[in-house]
Amino acid sequence: MLELSHIDAGYGRTRVLHDVSVPGSDNVVAVLGLNGAGKTTLLRVAIGLIRPVRGVVLLDGEDVTSLSPHKRVARGMAYVPQGQQSFTQLTTRENLQLVADGRRNGRRMLEEVLERFPALAQFSSRKAGLLSGGQRQQLAIARALITEPRLLILDEPTEGIQPSIVAEIEATIVQLATEGISVLLVEQHIGFALEAADKYVVLASGVVTSTGEGGVAAQRGVREAMTI
């Protein structure tokens, strides 16, 4: 699905990523690393918010490196950044309706995401700013799913939220992969990330220090790679 090859990228003269490659997968690829490793920068390259200095972004084998974010979205990519982003003065349903309006299957997809996330259905008339952090994260993921993506890019989807909703979000990610949606996942919970992923990449200071297949058995090697 998505493959990043030999990416050099950063901000102005500051280089953050150095020859970073991420393998393609039709399931879940996890990108792991400590704070400052370059994970978010890599995702911003993937969705087109940052143009790499060197390297190629491939989607289904097609070079999309020069495409704008909205053109990548039109090709089936969706991005959920850190921060549980929402329009806080709008209700839960209004947040979803903004994405659904004008889409061919918008009404159906809106109802499907409310079914997928029961808490959002329960609080559909509540302003998003009054939702819990975990509920706002579910809302952010739900908004992305309304676009019917083939590839979902998630940046720390369980960061700073209550354990009960963490479990729900983790289950949703696994379920999406079984439904044929590829996931590129940056996640702080190593155990879950490796359990969900069929492939992983570890970054440290913008350099790939380890790659491999997912699974619980990979945890020890990943933790060692993250300390390099």
Side-chain angles (χ1 to χ4, degrees):
M1 174 61 78
L2 180 74
E3 181 179 356
L4 295 100
S5 180
H6 301 290
I7 298 294
D8 287 356
Y11 305 91
R13 295 183 179 181
T14 302
R15 192 68 55 88
V16 177
L17 302 175
H18 309 272
D19 196 28
V20 172
S21 294
V22 176
S25 172
D26 290 331
N27 295 302
V28 180
V29 176
V31 179
L32 305 165
L34 301 176
N35 289 339
K39 305 184 301 296
T40 294
T41 300
L42 182 65
L43 297 192
R44 289 170 67 84
V45 169
I47 195 63
L49 295 172
I50 296 175
R51 180 75 63 86
V53 176
R54 183 176 74 96
V56 178
V57 180
L58 298 172
L59 182 63
D60 292 333
E62 178 186 358
D63 185 348
V64 298
T65 312
S66 63
L67 293 187
S68 64
H70 79 273
K71 289 184 177 180
R72 298 189 198 197
V73 170
R75 281 169 167 75
M77 300 173 69
Y79 175 48
V80 181
Q82 283 180 293
Q84 304 146 16
Q85 297 183 10
S86 63
F87 296 99
T88 58
Q89 295 304 308
L90 299 181
T91 67
T92 297
R93 179 174 283 275
E94 287 169 342
N95 267 271
L96 298 173
Q97 195 69 54
L98 282 175
V99 182
D101 283 346
R103 293 188 174 275
R104 183 179 58 182
N105 298 319
R107 179 178 297 181
R108 174 176 62 82
M109 293 305 300
L110 190 155
E111 297 306 323
E112 283 188 10
V113 297
L114 288 176
E115 183 177 348
R116 190 185 293 273
F117 297 107
L120 299 184
Q122 181 181 356
F123 299 119
S124 63
S125 61
R126 179 174 294 183
K127 286 188 176 182
L130 299 178
L131 299 175
S132 71
Q135 290 162 354
R136 287 196 302 274
Q137 185 65 284
Q138 289 180 320
L139 179 57
I141 295 172
R143 289 172 58 200
L145 291 177
I146 287 176
T147 68
E148 299 184 88
R150 295 182 297 117
L151 168 68
L152 184 62
I153 301 173
L154 299 171
D155 193 355
E156 301 279 14
T158 66
E159 180 183 23
I161 62 179
Q162 56 268 47
S164 60
I165 294 187
V166 166
E168 292 179 15
I169 290 175
E170 290 176 346
T172 297
I173 293 169
V174 172
Q175 180 62 32
L176 291 173
T178 68
E179 295 172 6
I181 298 176
S182 299
V183 179
L184 179 59
L185 171 69
V186 163
E187 175 56 52
Q188 60 179 322
H189 293 104
I190 295 175
F192 161 67
L194 292 177
E195 183 178 348
D198 63 325
K199 297 179 182 179
Y200 73 85
V201 174
V202 179
L203 293 181
S205 300
V207 176
V208 175
T209 58
S210 179
T211 63
E213 296 183 354
V216 176
Q219 287 192 41
R220 180 176 179 180
V222 167
R223 293 183 189 280
E224 290 176 352
M226 288 174 62
T227 64
I228 294 176

